[in-house]
Amino acid sequence: MKPVAQDLMAWRRRLQKPGMVPPPPGEESQTVVLPPGWQSYLSPQGRRYYVNTATNETTWERPGSSPGIPASPGPHRSSLPPTVNGYHASGTPAHPPETAHMSVRKSTGDSQNLGSSSPGKKQSKENTITINCVTFPHPDTMPEQQLLKPTEWSYCDYFWADKKDPQGNGTVAGFELLLQKQLKGKQMQKEMSEFIRERIKIEEEYAKNLAKLSQNSLAAQEEGSLGEAWAQVKKSLADEAEVHLKFSAKLHSEVEKPLMNFRENFKKDMKKCDHHIADLRKQLASRYAAVEKARKALTERQRDLEMKTQQLEIKLSNKTEEDIKKARRKSTQAGDDLMRCVDLYNQAQSKWFEEMVTTTLELERLEVERVEMIRQHLCQYTQLRHETDMFNQSTVEPVDQLLRKVDPAKDRELWVREHKTGNIRPVDMEI
């Protein structure tokens, strides 16, 4: 199994596995067993809390080892919506009140909490901050996070936040930066293939001109060993033209064509990744909007309940008591709606998180594959170039051999033997 897959499985187990609880820092390292009826969970912020499945009590403090005896005086009873065996009706673990804090805000009183005596009220600082619908640990209370691939500068570890767009006032998602890098690589590969194509055209034109020049009749009447060397020079041009034609053909089939084909496949992969992550981010934004709407509704219901409670203190009446019961039911329903929206948001963010990890790692793989493919084909280009130089040298070698054999004296002898008109010299006339 790949290390990242193991990390993802461990991450899921941290969110889902109840029962055996690792002790906090400073305590014994051995596993701590919970009393019967208690289960433990991790909040989305990474803090462990405990649920009594019989009484629906929630507490930050670990229960004592004896049944019914908590570790601290009196467990904090939560006024969370009713749960069954530590789960909401949706089937997700009941989270503590801190899960309702989806954005940074100062304490605004009990109306911001789902329970007036819940464990979440103990915290003096928010644990999370939401930026562009994505929830992060608060910088002031951020626990140490281990990188998924600590020995590498991996894409899956460094592109979770958005970045301000230098061209405007908006922001660019971290994944969008990665995608732009990949698309730039695709463009560079396209330009490389165009460069090789221009190189091929030059080779083809050069070969054509060499072949034409080899047929030129200039100095065709040169004779002797020099004439043979000159004829070989012209023949070497024809041979060199053939070498360059073969070189251009191999450049097309072994360098240019693979670059073009790979570029098309790469473009399809990038488009697929872009659409997938963009859809998940839109779903996350939709879930976050639902959370904020539910949070606002809860605040209004709690404000209404508080107002009716104050009216009851002023004047007792059956109508006021009925109004309070009705307001309490609506407040409880609003709290239940908020918790459901938070659960759906956390599920959407978890899905986005997992897909971001797997997709960024896929981008790494595709990038390595692209770079390695280009490297190999450029090595093939240099190899073909060396071979061309070697073949060109072989076409010149016969010329060198003939030039070394050029002998003007021998040429003169041969030419005289063939064209002589007589070897009897003239003499003086006698009287």
Side-chain angles (χ1 to χ4, degrees):
M1 182 180 295
K2 296 181 178 179
V4 173
Q6 294 173 342
D7 292 334
L8 287 175
M9 291 181 65
W11 178 75
R12 293 193 188 99
R13 287 196 295 268
R14 288 205 313 271
L15 293 178
Q16 297 175 355
K17 187 174 181 180
M20 305 301 285
V21 186
E27 296 186 11
E28 297 180 358
S29 60
Q30 62 184 6
T31 303
V32 180
V33 180
L34 292 173
W38 287 90
Q39 291 184 334
S40 70
Y41 300 95
L42 281 181
S43 71
Q45 290 75 28
R47 187 175 180 186
R48 189 170 294 281
Y49 66 99
Y50 305 88
V51 178
N52 188 311
T53 58
T55 63
N56 292 327
E57 294 174 351
T58 61
T59 177
W60 297 116
E61 305 294 336
R62 184 178 62 82
S65 57
S66 300
I69 303 178
S72 59
H76 299 278
R77 190 170 188 82
S78 173
S79 58
L80 292 174
T83 60
V84 179
N85 292 332
Y87 282 76
H88 291 301
S90 63
T92 57
H95 294 300
E98 67 172 294
T99 57
H101 301 292
M102 304 306 293
S103 60
V104 171
R105 57 171 63 86
K106 295 181 180 179
S107 177
T108 57
D110 292 346
S111 62
Q112 290 298 333
N113 294 321
L114 297 184
S116 60
S117 62
S118 63
K121 189 178 178 181
K122 286 186 174 183
Q123 302 177 61
S124 60
K125 294 182 179 179
E126 299 291 346
N127 287 333
T128 62
I129 178 173
T130 300
I131 304 175
N132 292 342
C133 304
V134 180
T135 302
F136 299 95
H138 195 285
D140 296 335
T141 59
M142 180 174 62
E144 182 180 357
Q145 291 184 336
Q146 184 178 1
L147 298 176
L148 295 176
K149 302 180 75 174
T151 60
E152 304 176 30
W153 286 88
S154 175
Y155 291 157
C156 69
D157 280 318
Y158 296 98
F159 291 90
W160 293 105
D162 296 342
K163 186 177 183 180
K164 187 175 181 180
D165 187 1
Q167 305 298 329
N169 298 324
T171 58
V172 179
F175 182 80
E176 184 66 23
L177 290 176
L178 289 176
L179 190 64
Q180 289 175 3
K181 184 178 186 298
Q182 307 307 313
L183 294 178
K184 180 180 178 181
K186 175 182 70 69
Q187 179 63 26
M188 295 303 99
Q189 185 172 322
K190 177 183 178 181
E191 293 179 9
M192 288 179 188
S193 65
E194 292 173 352
F195 179 90
I196 297 298
R197 181 59 200 159
E198 290 301 314
R199 183 73 170 88
I200 292 173
K201 289 180 179 179
I202 292 173
E203 288 295 323
E204 291 174 343
E205 187 67 21
Y206 183 55
K208 179 180 177 181
N209 290 334
L210 285 178
K212 182 178 179 181
L213 184 59
S214 68
Q215 301 299 320
N216 194 290
S217 60
L218 291 175
Q221 296 181 0
E222 178 64 48
E223 300 177 344
S225 58
L226 182 60
E228 292 180 8
W230 176 246
Q232 186 60 44
V233 168
K234 296 170 66 175
K235 182 178 183 303
S236 70
L237 293 182
D239 294 340
E240 187 177 355
E242 185 66 23
V243 168
H244 284 279
L245 279 178
K246 290 181 179 179
F247 176 51
S248 63
K250 287 187 176 181
L251 278 182
H252 173 70
S253 62
E254 300 180 18
V255 181
E256 181 201 13
K257 190 174 180 180
L259 284 177
M260 293 295 293
N261 291 341
F262 187 86
R263 182 178 62 84
E264 291 300 320
N265 296 335
F266 190 74
K267 182 177 180 181
K268 294 177 182 177
D269 292 335
M270 291 301 97
K271 185 180 293 186
K272 209 177 297 182
C273 292
D274 183 21
H275 291 169
H276 184 52
I277 295 298
D279 289 344
L280 290 176
R281 190 68 184 267
K282 289 179 182 177
Q283 294 175 19
L284 184 60
S286 175
R287 295 300 185 190
Y288 178 74
V291 168
E292 290 301 296
K293 182 178 179 181
R295 190 196 310 284
K296 183 178 179 181
L298 175 61
T299 302
E300 293 175 354
R301 295 301 183 188
Q302 288 177 329
R303 188 182 297 116
D304 182 57
L305 176 60
E306 182 179 355
M307 182 181 65
K308 286 182 170 53
T309 302
Q310 291 174 354
Q311 291 176 355
L312 178 62
E313 294 175 354
I314 298 173
K315 182 179 179 180
L316 292 175
S317 67
N318 292 335
K319 183 178 180 181
T320 304
E321 292 179 358
E322 286 297 324
D323 289 344
I324 289 177
K325 291 180 180 179
K326 185 177 180 181
R328 185 176 291 115
R329 286 195 298 270
K330 290 183 178 180
S331 179
T332 301
Q333 180 61 44
D336 188 45
D337 291 343
L338 176 57
M339 291 302 297
R340 188 183 71 255
C341 290
V342 169
D343 286 340
L344 291 175
Y345 169 85
N346 288 336
Q347 292 173 23
Q349 183 166 260
S350 297
K351 178 65 175 176
W352 174 73
F353 168 81
E354 294 184 20
E355 292 300 321
M356 274 286 289
V357 172
T358 55
T359 305
T360 51
L361 290 178
E362 178 66 8
L363 290 185
E364 283 187 16
R365 185 192 68 80
L366 290 173
E367 184 175 67
V368 170
E369 182 180 317
R370 182 186 70 86
V371 172
E372 180 61 23
M373 186 275 298
I374 293 177
R375 187 193 69 81
Q376 290 178 359
H377 286 86
L378 291 182
C379 287
Q380 179 65 13
Y381 166 80
T382 59
Q383 178 64 28
L384 291 174
R385 187 70 179 83
H386 290 316
E387 291 177 359
T388 301
D389 291 341
M390 184 176 64
F391 288 136
N392 283 338
Q393 182 63 31
S394 67
T395 63
V396 176
E397 287 177 359
V399 177
D400 290 336
Q401 294 174 3
L402 288 177
L403 288 175
R404 286 193 292 268
K405 294 179 180 179
V406 170
D407 185 352
K410 185 65 175 177
D411 289 345
R412 185 172 60 251
E413 176 188 350
L414 294 176
W415 189 87
V416 168
R417 285 179 179 275
E418 182 178 356
H419 298 91
K420 64 183 179 179
T421 59
N423 56 355
I424 304 299
R425 295 184 298 277
V427 296
D428 293 340
M429 180 184 295
E430 293 179 358
I431 300 176

